[in-house]
Amino acid sequence: MAVITAENLHYAIEQKRDELYEIASQQSWTSPEVIHVSQELDKLITRHVLAIYASEHLNF
């Protein structure tokens, strides 16, 4: 897995959120494509939260 900076991760989250809203504006929020993009966004947010937790709790 590639190393990703906090700034790049934040940008990726914003881009995925924009993609989600764009698709959802054209389809139902329960469509398979919207759900898939939403799950991708969830994964990015989880990575961000875990990175913050690790930086706060694992620095000696």
Side-chain angles (χ1 to χ4, degrees):
M1 180 178 284
V3 175
I4 187 166
T5 66
E7 183 177 320
N8 288 343
L9 188 52
H10 180 75
Y11 179 77
I13 289 169
E14 293 300 320
Q15 293 298 309
K16 190 59 67 174
R17 185 177 291 136
D18 290 345
E19 178 184 354
L20 176 62
Y21 288 141
E22 179 65 28
I23 294 169
S25 73
Q26 299 169 7
Q27 301 180 26
S28 164
W29 278 95
T30 58
S31 74
E33 187 175 1
V34 171
I35 291 171
H36 176 74
V37 173
S38 177
Q39 290 171 337
E40 290 176 342
L41 176 59
D42 289 345
K43 289 176 187 177
L44 289 169
I45 293 170
T46 299
R47 281 181 68 183
H48 181 65
V49 169
L50 291 174
I52 291 171
Y53 178 84
S55 70
E56 291 176 354
H57 292 91
L58 299 179
N59 288 334
F60 294 77

